[in-house]
Amino acid sequence: MRAPLIAANWKMHMTREPAGRLAGDIVRGLAGLDGVQVVLCPPATALDVVARVLAGTPILLGAQTMHWETQGAYTGELSPPMLVDAGCRAVILGHSERRRYFGETDDGVGKKVRAALAHRLVPIACVGERLEEREAGSTDAVVVRQVRAAVAGSDAEALSSLVVAYEPVWAIGTGRHATGREADRVAALIRRTLAESAGPVAGRVRILYGGSVTPGNIGEFLEQPEIDGALVGGASLDAQAFIAIARAACRAGSP
Ligand code: 13P
């Protein structure tokens, strides 16, 4: 069985003080909740504040991006050991905003996944088609290409900790979301693609949906057999909305 996972991507929002408050509200709202893994990914400047709030709770700290090298002349970048040192247990990799605005490539995402696994960080690798790719009928080809590149060269057994987030780019921050059925179809394709390189381990990889997830639509995704949770942007900045999403996943995950 795959435990449901709900991850919050705060993107470039929240200075340290409101970040600590939001994390505190989420911790209180989810106290005692069992059966769902929750990850908060604040901006890098708030990692230490949020780490302190999360200490002693089952909620994990994650970062939003990372370099693949351990150290070196890469101005502005953060390395895997730096994230581990800051208390991170997970890291979002290859988010479409990183691909679009910062030139991240399929190949680079593969290097980052390998580096994350080597440092025991849970990689949350993002894939998803742009609107024009969807309209051209190339959703499947794009997603397969991105997934193959993300896991290229990784040890099959290590990939059991991988998380893949299917985030159709046209659904991010737009209020338009994929239907549960369509997201499930793509999630099944992702799992079949993972099985090419990871074999049966692909059955243990968690696949999330991301893109305009709210308390109102989370149920539609959680009821899909191939979808194990969500990567939440906008709604994760509102404690009550995020708590409602995580609670829904807990209910969906219980036998
Ligand atoms: P929204 O939930 O704001 O659409 O963002 C999704 C996302 O990009 C999460 O990584």
Side-chain angles (χ1 to χ4, degrees):
M1 262 317 277
R2 299 182 296 264
L5 191 156
I6 301 290
N9 177 6
W10 291 355
K11 306 193 180 184
M12 199 173 71
H13 296 283
M14 299 280 159
T15 51
R16 292 154 56 85
E17 204 260 321
R21 239 184 301 127
L22 176 57
D25 289 345
I26 291 171
V27 164
R28 278 185 294 280
L30 296 179
L33 194 71
D34 215 8
V36 56
Q37 190 168 53
V38 174
V39 182
L40 302 187
C41 304
T45 48
L47 283 172
D48 65 334
V49 172
V50 175
R52 259 177 267 141
V53 175
L54 300 185
T57 79
I59 300 179
L60 304 185
L61 183 69
Q64 298 177 12
T65 183
M66 175 189 89
H67 199 277
W68 56 80
E69 291 289 350
T70 303
Q71 58 182 16
Y74 300 101
T75 301
E77 291 290 316
L78 298 174
S79 73
M82 289 170 184
L83 297 188
V84 171
D85 186 43
C88 292
R89 303 275 302 278
V91 58
I92 298 170
L93 299 174
H95 191 282
S96 63
E97 289 150 13
R98 302 289 319 167
R99 295 177 190 256
R100 174 168 178 203
Y101 301 119
F102 305 102
E104 288 208 16
T105 61
D106 288 344
D107 179 54
V109 176
K111 287 183 181 155
K112 292 179 179 202
V113 167
R114 293 199 293 281
L117 293 173
H119 290 87
R120 301 198 186 288
L121 286 161
V122 171
I124 304 175
C126 301
V127 300
E129 81 285 3
R130 290 180 279 125
L131 182 61
E132 58 272 29
E133 292 167 332
R134 179 182 184 82
E135 286 173 344
S138 48
T139 295
D140 292 12
V142 168
V143 168
V144 166
R145 188 198 76 221
Q146 292 175 334
V147 171
R148 282 188 182 145
V151 299
S154 282
D155 172 68
E157 196 52 38
L159 285 171
S160 63
S161 71
L162 174 72
V163 176
V164 177
Y166 169 54
E167 299 205 308
V169 180
W170 49 269
I172 294 178
T174 59
R176 267 183 75 198
H177 60 87
T179 64
R181 268 184 76 153
E182 170 63 3
D184 192 59
R185 190 192 68 76
V186 178
L189 173 69
I190 290 170
R191 203 176 298 287
R192 287 199 301 278
T193 306
L194 289 170
E196 291 170 5
S197 42
V201 169
R204 290 168 26 212
V205 171
R206 263 117 23 117
I207 301 179
L208 313 181
Y209 168 78
S212 298
V213 169
T214 65
N217 63 32
I218 184 68
E220 179 178 343
F221 299 105
L222 294 170
E223 71 190 18
Q224 307 298 330
E226 294 294 344
I227 297 178
D228 306 306
L231 180 54
V232 187
S236 74
L237 296 169
D238 175 332
Q240 292 319 312
F242 186 70
I243 289 163
I245 290 169
R247 287 190 172 278
C250 177
R251 280 195 301 278
S254 54

